[in-house]
Amino acid sequence: MDLKFSHIDILVKDLETACAYYARILGAEISKKFTWERGELHVTYAVLRIGRERFMLVQPFSGNLKNLLDTKGEGTIYRHCYSTPDIEAAFDELVASGVQPEDENGTVLTRESLSSPSGIRIIWLPKRFGEFSIEILEEAGLQQFISEAFPGSPI
């Protein structure tokens, strides 16, 4: 599978406060804020960039991530995210190896249902080790999303 590391996702209680802290302390560039709602999951999030490195701060309001924040606490890194140039080939390789890709709520995905509320085609591997998950995003969609998140700034 052709994968490239993209970013990590970190839970926070207050997105604005966390963004301000990382901007002030580390000089992070902060994207515009986004909302993601599907099924039980409702979050707001922002992409932070320091040089070429990125991470996402995620403030959950409901769903499994809110439960995780309430039990594990703020600062929990719960996901590693990778990109691939061919999301359908990645999907097929996972299925061939016995792994059934899911959406962010744990619902089984089909090859035809790889879309997300952000517009990027995404798959998640089933959680194998506690609450930690792995996300695979389609590279072209990820690059478009990042360019929209940081208008006028180089990717």
Side-chain angles (χ1 to χ4, degrees):
M1 192 173 321
D2 185 7
L3 298 177
K4 181 172 77 175
F5 182 75
S6 174
H7 63 277
I8 60 171
D9 291 350
I10 303 168
L11 294 175
V12 297
K13 291 181 181 178
D14 183 302
L15 184 60
E16 294 296 328
T17 300
C19 287
Y21 174 82
Y22 286 109
R24 188 179 88 247
I25 300 302
L26 299 178
E29 183 181 1
I30 312 297
S31 75
K32 64 182 185 177
K33 309 308 183 283
F34 298 91
T35 298
W36 181 297
E37 291 183 76
R38 182 159 64 178
E40 298 295 315
L41 186 69
H42 175 205
V43 302
T44 59
Y45 62 99
V47 181
L48 282 70
R49 187 163 58 180
I50 303 170
R52 297 185 58 82
E53 303 300 321
R54 299 184 297 246
F55 58 100
M56 281 194 193
L57 296 179
V58 180
Q59 179 181 350
F61 298 100
S62 65
N64 60 346
L65 294 180
K66 175 70 169 120
N67 296 338
L68 185 59
L69 176 64
D70 291 346
T71 58
K72 299 290 183 181
E74 190 167 35
T76 297
I77 297 171
Y78 67 93
R79 181 175 294 142
H80 279 190
C81 305
Y82 299 86
S83 64
T84 184
D86 189 340
I87 195 81
E88 292 175 356
F91 180 92
D92 293 343
E93 285 183 52
L94 288 168
V95 170
S97 70
V99 175
Q100 176 57 60
E102 302 176 338
D103 71 10
E104 70 279 21
N105 292 304
T107 303
V108 170
L109 286 174
T110 64
R111 200 170 192 262
E112 297 75 32
S113 64
L114 303 179
S115 64
S116 71
S118 69
I120 304 172
R121 295 192 324 156
I122 302 176
I123 55 180
W124 288 265
L125 277 63
K127 291 178 184 156
R128 176 92 164 96
F129 303 102
E131 292 298 322
F132 182 77
S133 69
I134 294 177
E135 174 182 89
I136 302 173
L137 306 102
E138 189 169 48
E139 180 67 28
L142 174 62
Q143 293 305 324
Q144 178 66 35
F145 172 79
I146 294 298
S147 68
E148 291 171 8
F150 296 97
S153 184
I155 296 175

